């Protein structure tokens, strides 16, 4: 991410959220996975608003990755609250990390989803 874009992201998402997101991206890269910020946070970033809805798409096993994040979080981000045990939803390839207190303003959870292809018979 370029310095200019990081500055834009810090303004919109807040530096307290950018640091964990960059850490998550680095952990994914270490494992050869691609990770993307998706959903409401992207909308909020584009609008210049703060976001409490943090969704991360993983090209790979999002459930396994969320488990790794929960283990590595206290090591990589020791000054932030630790997540509780991840809750997984295997049918959908998703997992949620919750926190008993905010680790960034308004943010108490992270949702991870495995990238998947869906085809529908008609327009949604």
């Amino acid at each position: 991410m370029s310095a200019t874009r990081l500055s834009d992201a810090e303004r919109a998402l807040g530096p307290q959220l950018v640091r964990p997101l960059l850490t998550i991206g680095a952990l994914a890269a270490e494992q050869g996975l691609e990770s993307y910020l998706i959903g409401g946070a992207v909308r909020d970033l584009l609008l210049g608003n703060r976001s409490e809805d943090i969704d991360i798409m993983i090209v790979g096993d999002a459930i396994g990755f969320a488990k790794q994040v929960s283990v590595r979080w206290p090591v990589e981000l020791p000054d932030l609250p630790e997540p509780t045990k991840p809750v997984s939803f295997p049918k959908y390839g998703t997992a949620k990390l919750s926190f008993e207190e905010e680790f960034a303003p308004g943010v108490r959870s992270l949702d991870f989803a495995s990238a998947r292809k869906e085809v529908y018979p008609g327009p949604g």
Side-chain angles (χ1 to χ4, degrees), residues 1-120:
M1 189 179 285
S2 74
T4 302
R5 288 186 179 206
L6 181 57
S7 176
D8 292 345
E10 283 180 329
R11 272 194 299 279
L13 296 174
Q16 301 94 336
L17 182 55
V18 170
R19 187 170 144 244
L21 291 177
L22 290 174
T23 300
I24 289 168
L27 292 173
E30 276 180 20
Q31 296 179 32
L33 301 172
E34 294 176 45
S35 63
Y36 299 92
L37 183 64
I38 61 170
V42 175
R43 174 203 60 228
D44 293 339
L45 179 61
L46 293 170
L47 294 173
N49 298 327
R50 294 257 172 150
S51 186
E52 298 175 9
D53 178 27
I54 309 303
D55 300 310
I56 300 168
M57 182 182 69
I58 301 297
V59 179
D61 178 12
I63 294 172
F65 181 70
K67 290 176 184 174
Q68 287 298 311
V69 170
S70 72
V71 169
R72 297 276 303 271
W73 186 280
V75 175
E76 302 293 332
L77 301 161
D79 56 317
L80 297 179
E82 291 185 33
T84 60
K85 184 179 175 185
V87 176
S88 61
F89 306 92
K91 179 179 178 181
Y92 302 104
T94 63
K96 181 182 216 59
L97 289 183
S98 296
F99 298 77
E100 291 190 16
E101 54 187 279
E102 296 176 352
F103 67 87
V107 182
R108 294 182 60 166
S109 67
L110 295 167
D111 292 301
F112 296 87
S114 295
R116 61 183 185 263
K117 181 178 180 180
E118 295 180 357
V119 178
Y120 300 98

